[in-house]
Amino acid sequence: MYDVIIIGGGVVGCGTARELMRRKAKVLLLEKTNDICNGQSKANTAIIHGGYDAKPGTLKAKFNVLGNAMFDQLHEELDVPVQWNTSLVVSFDLGDHEALEKLLDQGIQNGVRGELRIIDEQELRRREPNVGREAKEALLVGAGGIVCPYELTEAFAENAAMNGAEFLRNAEVTRINRLDDGRWQVVSAAGTFEARAVVNAAGTYADVINNMVSARKVHIRPRRGEYYILDKKYKNAFHATMFQLPSKMGKGTLIAPTVDGTVLIGPTAEDIDDKEDKRTTAAGLEKALRQAGRTWEHIPTRGFITTFSGLRATGDTGDFILGEAEDAPLFFNCCAIESPGLSSAPAIAKWTAEQVTERLGLEENPNFDPIRKAIPKFREMTNEERQAAIAADPDFGKIVCRCETVTEAEIREAIRRPVGARDVDGVKRRTRAGMGRCQAGFCTPRTVEILAEELGISPLEVTKFGGDSKLLQGYLFEEGKHHA
Ligand SMILES: Cc1cc2nc3c(=O)[nH]c(=O)nc-3n(C[C@H](O)[C@H](O)[C@H](O)COP(=O)(O)OP(=O)(O)OC[C@H]3O[C@@H](n4cnc5c(N)ncnc54)[C@H](O)[C@@H]3O)c2cc1C
């Protein structure tokens, strides 16, 4: 019997689990896939939006601005990389000045913190010398930043688990029943559990979960966004996150530096019907490139290391759907959390936990420890630090991923941590092994061996991302004597 069951291990679900651990509460998080951070939270632009974009008065506007203000503290407490690199919304036509003014006004109304002003072409080019010839002026948003979305989600989960929250993966929720005494019974692939309250943070499936218990139906249509990732070699091409002012030419695409030094080109926005269709398409990528070419005229396409897509949980109200469902007591929605959902997640998590606390009468947990340390990054260490790390643990002396300089010690720790990695992609998100230029060409075999050793399974059982995604088919020679 739990106080709270959270459905969905994205940034919102994991953030809510952590916030709930500030109280004396028995919390279980159920995640459908083989790992946390497998939905929208792993495939997005990683921007901490300033908060100028959402319509004043909406939940998006409110939680974006509140969430944005929480990232410095999260950086301190959870050791998650955050950079305040500013956002620039570029216009390509002086006739669009009024539209920029409107965004500025909207930002002021929403309470966007920090510097918020329109800059002219001269200042724009001084700040960003590579900006395209057509660029005319821009809205500068000082509160625009970037974060590592996987590390944030994992840090939330690790810290929640350190403080007592339980996590189950491969635990797809298939049914929710309300028992006679008012408790919720949650039926999942990992077992049936009971709780006093349920939090629905199921991303693109949050409508399905809501519709299991509430007559007030919600509909989420996935909106796919496709991207290119550009090699770290181009990390200094742009300093700010470069938006395009929405115009009659479309919403535009972004040039988005990441905290890891790569650059994202995208995303597109295409409504689709299949909640699992995460393909990238030639047409989508071509569109992303063409549109982004206005901001950066000579995008070095030879520097692309891979492509990916993410599905936004676009609801039919245009806003987040938050709070206790009217006709389902103690069932709390975090539904239709599309962009700016990553920026808003810390505030959504805090608010949702407060709602649950109030309704359940939970007490403060005096033992809550908000501190979580990141896995030490060999690539960021000085030579002296490297020597000390190797002396303490010789596995720091074994480089597994050459592109990103990730050591065996980091990979082992990523697996051993609370809510640790269970598959190759999980190791990748936690350490960056396989995220570099060769895209896991060299490190996969060793990562598989380490996963097998740490998890006590055969290399043949190791998967890329759970389910049937096994990487190895069998042994070429006698089992156990030769490599798989
Ligand atoms: C292309 C794109 C770009 C974006 N860019 C930005 C940006 O730059 N800045 C920003 O602020 N926001 C951005 N967003 C939005 C942001 O990524 C999301 O709002 C945020 O990640 C939502 O987190 P979540 O936890 O609600 O959902 P998710 O991360 O999708 O997590 C939901 C989880 O629920 C699980 N689940 C689903 N069904 C079940 C079930 N039945 N049982 C158990 N578990 C289940 C899923 O497997 C998943 O792990 C972007 C989104 C996309 C797709």
Side-chain angles (χ1 to χ4, degrees):
M1 169 70 174
Y2 291 90
D3 291 308
V4 189
I5 289 179
I6 299 168
I7 304 171
V11 69
V12 172
C14 295
T16 305
R18 175 179 187 251
E19 284 296 327
L20 280 169
M21 297 324 293
R22 294 179 190 276
R23 284 85 185 182
K24 287 184 188 159
K26 201 163 151 45
V27 173
L28 172 67
L29 185 146
L30 298 173
E31 163 54 42
K32 176 171 78 166
T33 66
N34 200 40
D35 201 359
I36 55 163
C37 201
N38 247 336
Q40 298 175 88
S41 303
K42 80 167 174 191
N44 56 60
T45 323
I47 300 164
I48 308 170
H49 290 288
Y52 62 84
D53 191 42
K55 250 203 203 145
T58 58
L59 294 173
K60 282 184 178 175
K62 174 181 163 184
F63 283 94
N64 186 162
V65 171
L66 288 173
N68 179 294
M70 294 169 72
F71 276 84
D72 278 332
Q73 192 178 347
L74 290 172
H75 168 70
E76 288 299 315
E77 289 181 351
L78 299 177
D79 207 8
V80 170
V82 169
Q83 286 172 21
W84 297 109
N85 66 328
T86 71
S87 296
L88 291 172
V89 188
V90 179
S91 88
F92 298 91
D93 183 345
L94 284 176
D96 284 336
H97 184 79
E98 218 174 287
L100 272 187
E101 291 275 6
K102 228 174 131 186
L103 275 190
L104 173 67
D105 275 355
Q106 202 163 266
I108 294 167
Q109 281 188 61
N110 288 348
V112 171
R113 66 197 180 96
E115 207 178 356
L116 189 67
R117 62 188 173 89
I118 294 172
I119 59 172
D120 62 13
E121 185 174 345
Q122 207 183 0
E123 181 170 355
L124 175 59
R125 292 192 188 284
R126 184 172 52 70
R127 287 173 168 269
E128 301 292 352
N130 288 322
V131 73
R133 273 167 300 173
E134 287 180 87
K136 293 291 183 294
E137 50 185 352
L139 177 68
L140 181 150
V141 187
I146 48 180
V147 62
C148 176
Y150 346 103
E151 187 147 3
L152 178 63
T153 308
E154 284 143 14
F156 276 150
E158 279 177 28
N159 189 241
M162 283 161 46
N163 283 290
E166 295 171 41
F167 286 74
L168 280 179
R169 291 169 274 184
N170 294 311
E172 178 178 7
V173 172
T174 51
R175 217 172 55 234
I176 306 174
N177 303 313
R178 194 162 171 76
L179 301 175
D180 290 344
D181 61 4
R183 281 175 301 158
W184 291 104
Q185 183 191 55
V186 180
V187 181
S188 85
T192 297
F193 306 94
E194 286 173 16
R196 297 161 71 200
V198 168
V199 173
N200 169 20
T204 48
Y205 289 90
D207 55 346
V208 177
I209 299 292
N210 171 79
N211 298 348
M212 287 178 188
V213 303
S214 172
R216 297 194 64 166
K217 301 298 177 204
V218 173
H219 182 237
I220 291 177
R221 186 153 189 223
R223 181 170 291 165
R224 183 167 55 201
E226 300 182 39
Y227 299 81
Y228 280 106
I229 306 184
L230 195 57
D231 191 70
K232 285 179 173 177
K233 197 165 129 189
Y234 302 98
K235 73 182 264 196
N236 294 321
F238 287 90
H239 168 74
T241 302
M242 305 296 286
F243 292 78
Q244 297 175 341
L245 181 70
S247 70
K248 49 186 181 301
M249 305 282 290
K251 265 196 95 172
T253 43
L254 281 70
I255 308 288
T258 69
V259 289
D260 298 300
T262 53
V263 182
L264 304 178
I265 314 279
T268 51
E270 181 193 357
D271 290 333
I272 58 170
D273 293 318
D274 182 352
K275 292 184 193 244
E276 297 298 325
D277 187 357
K278 292 181 191 152
R279 270 179 298 178
T280 51
T281 63
L285 291 169
E286 195 274 325
K287 189 173 176 191
L289 196 55
R290 183 165 26 87
Q291 289 186 340
R294 288 190 102 189
T295 305
W296 190 3
E297 280 169 20
H298 302 290
I299 296 174
T301 53
R302 280 174 62 86
F304 288 148
I305 57 173
T306 189
T307 60
F308 72 95
S309 81
L311 302 184
R312 306 170 180 88
T314 306
D316 43 13
T317 65
D319 203 358
F320 298 153
I321 299 170
L322 298 177
E324 192 170 359
E326 264 173 38
D327 58 350
L330 294 171
F331 177 91
F332 296 85
N333 268 318
C334 298
C335 203
I337 314 291
E338 59 176 339
S339 190
L342 176 65
S343 321
S344 310
I348 293 175
K350 182 168 183 277
W351 183 83
T352 302
E354 281 164 4
Q355 300 293 305
V356 175
T357 300
E358 203 177 303
R359 290 284 278 118
L360 293 185
L362 299 173
E363 283 173 39
E364 290 300 303
N365 172 8
N367 300 322
F368 176 75
D369 178 1
I371 304 300
R372 169 260 183 196
K373 279 284 167 220
I375 298 172
K377 296 181 178 80
F378 191 76
R379 65 182 167 276
E380 291 177 5
M381 293 178 190
T382 62
N383 278 345
E384 290 72 33
E385 286 167 343
R386 286 178 173 185
Q387 274 163 10
I390 293 167
D393 178 355
D395 283 347
F396 273 110
K398 300 175 196 160
I399 304 289
V400 176
C401 170
R402 299 182 221 174
C403 303
E404 296 290 310
T405 326
V406 181
T407 63
E408 190 168 317
E410 289 160 75
I411 294 176
R412 290 193 186 277
E413 184 165 346
I415 302 166
R416 288 176 192 167
R417 284 207 164 197
V419 207
R422 292 286 169 272
D423 52 39
V424 172
D425 282 357
V427 168
K428 174 165 121 175
R429 283 191 295 275
R430 286 169 179 81
T431 64
R432 288 194 64 75
M435 284 223 189
R437 202 172 283 175
C438 92
Q439 286 289 300
F442 281 104
C443 59
T444 301
R446 187 66 195 128
T447 303
V448 167
E449 282 176 341
I450 298 170
L451 272 162
E453 280 171 30
E454 290 289 333
L455 301 176
I457 58 176
S458 154
L460 301 182
E461 298 302 314
V462 174
T463 63
K464 181 161 160 51
F465 48 79
D468 294 331
S469 64
K470 289 186 182 151
L471 289 145
L472 303 171
Q473 293 298 317
Y475 289 89
L476 279 179
F477 303 107
E478 199 184 330
E479 189 158 346
K481 289 200 176 153
H482 296 275
H483 284 292

